């Protein structure tokens, strides 16, 4: 008889040197049990049926040569042939006899597990893990089977045999063939561990990086109700959480993202051993509620960091919450599986892209280009926001103009074309943040383009963008930026969409010169802050007002679980700002306070109840004038509370604050006083407060403004508009709008000189340096401290600035 120690290894006997015996993730469980369980990580106990046991099974049943012969001449691209051969091999293994020696060892191990948990027929998970003796870094994750809620000796032995057979699933065979792995250098071990009753609670997956961008400084947690298989398989839309590692280690509570999943179904225990699992629908309360509390999120994140540090590499981990008291009592969290993360390697964007057309097409119309990319797709003409439900992902959005109500479909568009607007209109700003091509101010696009028409949107030719008929071939040239030159002038970014921050932060940068919060308020919150503050009053009034009743119902649904509705605004805003702050940490992230105009605020849910009708909202009740006004101060207090939470609770003290549209020095003083009233005291814990320089009065009284603020950020969009006395959104006068106008440049030069003289920081966050290289050169000549740009122009502007700085030193 074979040495039984080679057939069975208990978790507290396993170390990582046992990989050849028990497979990557089973070795990880054993290693964690012996090394990390003492550090406070809960891991359900169990044993591994080793790869030696698998080899013994194959040998005793004389299956080696039969399996080899079955695989001779296999073409994995012939799906029918692959399925036929895979099915034959699995049938051979399933119909083979479990050797008595091995059967006896599994029986003894299971009986010992029954004794440990003092439960006859103890429920266990039976998990496969493949190992390649000579290929320790190969990833075989997800190719073999797992069986849950297995009870009784016979069923456990049967599940182990089914795991053996799963080494030859069609996907596993194909993977090994395509990668050139010998099928007989890969073996299988099986972990048998006590089930965590997550069917009565929740479970999910943890990655110790952001799986989309490869950003390493976050723990990404997903979770849903019931057993974890549905999360792993992608059958449910789970809740998502991001926790920022660096400040978590310092003792803060940096949950920077909490995103509610739909969680429509869950997998639970079945009614009998013959039906071990069943699918049920979740309740409305479960769908509307997060599966984890903040404390639980932070606990899992801390455990994930310990596991990652132990193995010295990013990890893919499965967790479960017990609803039945596996160890001490109900509600405990457990780690049930861990393996090295090998699919989503850390991605760093090491290149800059230049788009070039390889042919020409008929020009349908032209306008002002936004960005420098080329996009393609079928056109979709939508004249009113009520029609956005017709839009399909990947289409080109063609409309008159956009506002925040359009943003849900703008994220799905391959490109955007508008009749109206200039380079700083809503469509232009949002498309830059999304990184998609956009052409604005065409005047005739909605008349000339048909829905369903193939289009190429060309923004690669400079300031004029062209809408071309057909799908014109194009190429993308990549310029490496690993060895970009250093510049004395800081090159920062303009950021507005938190979901893109982790990826954008990997472009070489010196921080964020403008973090816009309007997208967070418009898309993540969508409710006027005063409607949340005075929600109880609105509920009473809604009894006699049908329109208001509908609004109240929508607010209740969006803020489900919040007793104080205003807390919803604070949490969502803090998470959005926190995500951006975390992405660029420890570099400065300068957050501009809300700068919606009254008409834009009115578009938020319940907004019409609190906003005035203004003839010219562009120069009306906006920016600083709102913050100290008794009618809006309670709403502004929520912004202050969100920023305080980001800095004090999340530990993101790299976040600074900037006040927009501050017309007078007295206004500035009032706003600073109001901020202090709500916990944001200038200078405390390194808090700096900047002012936007976007009104001529900011330049004329720059010395006085410098006395109360820590620095300036030039908003060239509004400064140009107000210096030249025109509406920047009007295509009728758009040809006059030019930041390079001598009047604008004189104002810019003057304020830079004052800031330098007063020892204050000064940068620019307007669109001009992104669009006009000569304007960027002008700023360098003036000695500006920083230039903040849209992400797609950072690299080329940095190269330009480096050359200009070099020339000035000659």
């Amino acid at each position: 008889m074979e040495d039984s120690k080679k057939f069975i290894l208990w978790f507290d006997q396993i170390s990582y040197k046992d990989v050849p015996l028990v497979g990557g993730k089973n070795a990880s469980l054993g290693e964690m049990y012996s090394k990390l369980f003492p550090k406070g990580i809960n891991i359900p106990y169990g044993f591994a049926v080793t790869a030696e046991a698998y080899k013994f099974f194959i040998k005793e049943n004389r299956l080696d040569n039969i399996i080899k012969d079955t695989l001779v001449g296999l073409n994995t691209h012939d799906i029918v042939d692959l399925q036929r051969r895979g099915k034959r091999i699995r049938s051979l293994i399933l119909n083979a006899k479990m050797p008595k020696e091995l059967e006896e060892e599994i029986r003894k191990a299971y009986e010992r597990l029954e004794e440990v948990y003092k439960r006859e027929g103890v429920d266990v998970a039976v998990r496969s893990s493949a190992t390649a003796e000579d290929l320790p870094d190969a990833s075989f994750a997800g190719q073999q089977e797992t069986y849950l809620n297995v009870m009784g000796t016979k069923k456990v032995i049967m599940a182990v045999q089914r795991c053996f057979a799963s080494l030859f699933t069609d996907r596993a065979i194909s993977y090994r063939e395509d990668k050139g792995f010998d099928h007989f250098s890969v073996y299988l071990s099986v972990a048998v561990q006590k089930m965590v009753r997550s069917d009565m609670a929740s479970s999910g997956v943890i990655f110790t990086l952001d799986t989309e961008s490869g950003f390493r400084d976050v723990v990404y947690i997903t979770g849903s109700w019931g057993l974890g298989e549905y999360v792993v398989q992608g059958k449910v839309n789970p809740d998502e959480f991001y926790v920022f590692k660096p400040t978590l280690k310092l003792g803060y509570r940096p949950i920077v993202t909490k995103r509610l999943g739909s969680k429509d179904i869950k997998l639970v225990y079945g009614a009998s051993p013959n039906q071990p699992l069943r699918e049920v629908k979740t309740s409305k309360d479960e769908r509307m509620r997060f599966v984890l509390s903040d404390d639980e999120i932070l606990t899992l994140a801390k455990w994930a960091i310990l596991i990652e540090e132990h193995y010295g590499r990013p990890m893919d981990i499965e967790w479960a919450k017990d609803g039945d008291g596996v160890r001490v009592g109900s509600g405990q969290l457990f780690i049930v599986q861990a393996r090295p993360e090998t699919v989503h390697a850390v991605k760093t964007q090491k290149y800059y892209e230049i788009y070039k057309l390889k042919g020409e097409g008929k020009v349908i119309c032209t306008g002002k280009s936004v960005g420098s990319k080329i996009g393609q797709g079928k056109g979709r003409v939508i004249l009113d926001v009520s029609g956005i439900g017709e839009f399909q992902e990947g289409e080109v959005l063609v409309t008159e103009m956009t506002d925040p109500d359009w943003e849900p479909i703008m994220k799905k568009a391959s490109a955007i074309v508008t009749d109206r607007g200039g380079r700083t209109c809503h469509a232009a700003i949002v498309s830059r943040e999304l990184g998609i091509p956009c052409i604005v101010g065409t005047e005739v696009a909605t008349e000339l383009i048909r829905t369903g028409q193939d289009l190429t949107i060309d923004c690669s030719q400079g300031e004029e963008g062209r809408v071309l008929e057909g799908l014109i071939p194009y190429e993308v040239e990549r310029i490496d930026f690993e060895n970009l030159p250093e510049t004395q002038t800081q090159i920062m970014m303009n950021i507005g969409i938190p979901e893109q921050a982790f990826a954008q932060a990997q472009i070489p940068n010196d921080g964020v010169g403008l973090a816009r919060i309007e997208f967070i308020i418009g898309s993540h919150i969508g409710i006027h802050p005063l409607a949340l503050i005075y929600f109880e009053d609105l509920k009473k009034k809604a009894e006699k007002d049908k329109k208001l009743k509908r609004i109240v119902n929508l607010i209740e649904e969006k803020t489900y679980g919040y007793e104080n509705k205003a807390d919803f605004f604070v949490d969502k805003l803090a998470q959005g700002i926190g995500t951006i702050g975390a992405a660029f940490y420890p570099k400065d992230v300068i957050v501009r306070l809300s700068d919606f105009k009254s008409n834009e605020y009115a578009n938020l849910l319940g907004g019409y109840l609190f906003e005035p009708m203004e003839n010219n909202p562009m120069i009306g009740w906006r920016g600083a004038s709102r913050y100290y006004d008794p009618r809006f101060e309670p709403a502004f207090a929520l912004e202050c509370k969100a920023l305080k939470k980001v800095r004090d609770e999340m530990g993101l003290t790299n976040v600074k604050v900037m006040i927009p549209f501050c017309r007078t020095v007295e206004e500035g003083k009032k706003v600073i006083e109001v901020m202090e009233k709500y916990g944001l005291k200038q200078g405390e814990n390194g808090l700096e407060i900047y002012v936007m320089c976007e009104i001529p009065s900011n330049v004329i009284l720059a010395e006085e403004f410098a006395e109360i603020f820590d620095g300036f950020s030039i908003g060239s969009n509004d400064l140009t508009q107000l210096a030249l006395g025109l509406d920047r959104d009007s295509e009728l006068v758009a040809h006059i709008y030019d930041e390079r106008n001598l009047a604008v440049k004189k104002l810019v030069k003057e304020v830079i000189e004052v800031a330098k003289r007063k020892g204050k920081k000064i940068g620019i966050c307007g669109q001009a340096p992104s669009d006009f290289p000569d304007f960027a050169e002008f700023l360098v000549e003036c000695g500006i401290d920083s230039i903040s740009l849209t992400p797609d122009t950072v690299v080329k502007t940095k190269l330009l600035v480096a050359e200009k700085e070099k020339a000035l030193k000659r």
Side-chain angles (χ1 to χ4, degrees), residues 784-801:
I784 200 163
D785 293 324
S786 64
I787 299 174
S788 195
L789 309 148
T790 52
D792 63 332
T793 62
V794 164
V795 174
K796 68 178 184 181
T797 306
K798 191 173 182 72
L799 292 169
L800 179 75
V801 167

Side-chain angles (χ1 to χ4, degrees), residues 717-756:
N717 301 346
D718 271 332
L719 189 60
T720 302
Q721 173 176 242
L722 295 172
L724 300 180
L726 52 80
D727 180 355
R728 72 187 195 197
D729 282 339
S730 171
E731 64 274 10
L732 297 175
V733 291
H735 62 284
I736 306 171
Y737 183 93
D738 190 344
E739 296 95 327
R740 296 167 295 181
N741 183 281
L742 186 58
V744 179
K745 290 174 77 173
K746 277 190 172 185
L747 291 172
V748 169
K749 189 173 190 295
E750 182 179 337
V751 75
I752 292 173
E753 288 173 350
V754 172
K756 289 292 184 181

Side-chain angles (χ1 to χ4, degrees), residues 438-509:
C438 175
I439 300 174
V440 297
T442 64
E443 298 185 1
V444 292
T446 56
E447 297 173 22
L448 301 181
I449 295 171
R450 304 184 311 276
T451 290
Q453 185 175 9
D454 285 335
L455 303 172
T456 296
I457 310 305
D458 178 22
C459 294
S460 67
Q461 307 295 312
E463 291 186 40
E464 183 181 70
R466 304 182 300 162
V467 180
L468 305 175
E469 197 174 83
L471 304 178
I472 314 301
Y474 67 92
E475 62 184 8
V476 183
E477 178 187 348
R478 293 183 173 182
I479 299 175
D480 177 51
F481 56 50
E482 273 192 292
N483 300 309
L484 278 176
E486 291 297 318
T487 57
Q488 185 177 336
T489 309
Q490 287 191 317
I491 305 300
M492 306 177 83
M493 286 192 196
N494 297 339
I495 302 292
I497 301 178
E499 292 85 349
Q500 297 179 355
F502 295 152
Q504 290 170 338
Q506 295 180 39
I507 301 171
N509 69 85

Side-chain angles (χ1 to χ4, degrees), residues 256-544:
V256 297
T257 299
K258 290 174 67 175
R259 196 173 295 128
L260 194 69
S262 56
K263 310 183 297 290
D264 294 327
I265 55 174
K266 62 180 177 178
L267 188 66
V268 300
Y269 275 23
S272 68
N274 293 326
Q275 186 203 7
L277 305 173
R278 63 192 175 97
E279 179 184 299
V280 297
K281 290 183 177 180
T282 51
S283 66
K284 180 182 178 180
D285 181 64
E286 287 174 318
R287 292 193 296 274
M288 299 298 290
R289 188 159 50 90
F290 286 113
V291 299
L292 292 168
S293 68
D294 285 0
D295 285 343
E296 289 169 335
I297 294 165
L298 294 169
T299 294
L300 288 175
K302 289 171 185 174
W303 288 359
I305 291 171
L306 283 173
I307 294 168
E308 179 181 54
E309 288 176 346
H310 179 75
Y311 290 108
R313 63 186 297 172
M315 296 294 287
D316 170 357
I317 303 161
E318 292 182 26
W319 66 271
K321 181 178 177 180
D322 183 55
D324 189 37
V326 172
R327 246 174 236 285
V328 179
S330 182
Q332 284 190 323
L333 295 167
F334 289 83
I335 298 298
V336 297
Q337 187 165 294
R339 55 178 170 246
E341 196 279 332
T342 57
V343 178
H344 297 279
V346 177
K347 303 169 188 174
T348 52
Q349 199 169 333
K350 299 178 180 178
Y351 52 84
Y352 170 67
E353 296 178 329
I354 297 177
Y355 285 68
K356 296 179 181 178
L357 280 175
K358 296 175 70 175
E360 279 297 331
K362 179 183 175 183
V363 177
I364 299 174
C365 59
T366 64
K368 298 170 189 65
S369 65
V370 178
S372 58
K373 294 184 178 181
I374 297 170
Q376 294 181 333
K378 291 189 180 298
R380 172 74 64 175
V381 180
I382 303 177
L383 299 180
D384 186 83
V385 71
S386 62
I388 65 175
E390 303 166 6
F391 194 81
Q392 302 297 313
E393 188 157 1
E395 291 182 329
V396 176
L397 174 61
V398 183
T399 187
E400 290 182 347
M401 66 181 298
T402 67
D403 60 36
D405 291 338
W406 293 75
E407 288 177 9
I409 65 166
M410 295 171 79
K411 293 186 286 186
K412 300 194 295 182
S414 60
I416 298 171
V417 181
T418 70
D419 286 347
R420 299 162 59 191
R423 286 182 294 100
T424 54
C425 69
H426 178 266
I429 290 169
V430 173
S431 65
R432 289 189 192 97
E433 291 171 352
L434 293 171
I436 59 175
C438 175
I439 300 174
V440 297
T442 64
E443 298 185 1
V444 292
T446 56
E447 297 173 22
L448 301 181
I449 295 171
R450 304 184 311 276
T451 290
Q453 185 175 9
D454 285 335
L455 303 172
T456 296
I457 310 305
D458 178 22
C459 294
S460 67
Q461 307 295 312
E463 291 186 40
E464 183 181 70
R466 304 182 300 162
V467 180
L468 305 175
E469 197 174 83
L471 304 178
I472 314 301
Y474 67 92
E475 62 184 8
V476 183
E477 178 187 348
R478 293 183 173 182
I479 299 175
D480 177 51
F481 56 50
E482 273 192 292
N483 300 309
L484 278 176
E486 291 297 318
T487 57
Q488 185 177 336
T489 309
Q490 287 191 317
I491 305 300
M492 306 177 83
M493 286 192 196
N494 297 339
I495 302 292
I497 301 178
E499 292 85 349
Q500 297 179 355
F502 295 152
Q504 290 170 338
Q506 295 180 39
I507 301 171
N509 69 85
D510 294 308
V512 176
L514 172 64
R516 297 170 61 245
I517 65 172
E518 287 78 21
F519 180 86
I520 302 168
I521 295 173
S523 294
H524 293 201
I525 299 170
I527 306 168
H528 196 287
L530 293 175
L532 293 166
I533 292 168
Y534 301 118
F535 180 71
E536 292 303 320
D537 292 339
L538 296 186
K539 274 181 76 173
K540 292 174 185 176
K541 294 177 182 177
E543 295 171 5
K544 298 179 180 179

